[in-house]
Amino acid sequence: MKKPAEYLKSSRFTAVNLTWTVDKVMKKAYDIFENKSSDDIDEAEDIAEIMNKEAVKIHEKDIRICKDISQWKERSAFLRACKCRETVYL
């Protein structure tokens, strides 16, 4: 798992969010390995499913944050436009 994760991070080395997300998903996988015995886990399926769920959760949170930021920017631009009585470009 480590080699593909490092390759993915190196593919977009300036994408801080990608590196952060890969690290967070990998941490989730390592935590599972550390806390479960080999009898408790079907490694290939369970780990992949848990990693996928973590990635989806991060993606959904990122979408919510981006929407919140865009709404704040729109309100802020509107208020500046009203105050200055000039067109504000977003």
Side-chain angles (χ1 to χ4, degrees):
M1 286 190 318
K2 189 173 183 179
K3 194 171 183 178
E6 292 302 321
Y7 176 75
L8 183 59
K9 291 190 317 186
S10 72
S11 69
R12 299 265 329 267
F13 59 89
T14 59
V16 176
N17 289 359
L18 176 62
T19 298
W20 177 84
T21 301
V22 170
D23 288 344
K24 187 168 173 112
V25 170
M26 291 299 292
K27 182 182 181 324
K28 188 78 162 183
Y30 287 128
D31 288 348
I32 292 165
F33 275 122
E34 290 176 4
N35 295 323
K36 290 193 175 196
S37 70
S38 60
D39 296 336
D40 293 339
I41 191 166
D42 176 0
E43 293 175 13
E45 292 180 22
D46 288 349
I47 296 295
E49 183 64 28
I50 291 167
M51 291 173 75
N52 185 58
K53 285 180 182 178
E54 185 70 14
V56 168
K57 188 168 71 173
I58 292 167
H59 181 233
E60 289 170 349
K61 182 177 181 181
D62 192 47
I63 289 170
R64 284 193 311 274
I65 290 170
C66 289
K67 284 182 180 178
D68 289 347
I69 289 170
S70 71
Q71 290 173 0
W72 174 84
K73 184 176 180 180
E74 289 170 8
R75 282 193 298 262
S76 177
F78 175 75
L79 292 173
R80 284 194 313 266
C82 291
K83 182 177 178 184
C84 299
R85 294 183 184 203
E86 61 186 38
T87 303
V88 175
Y89 296 94
L90 298 176

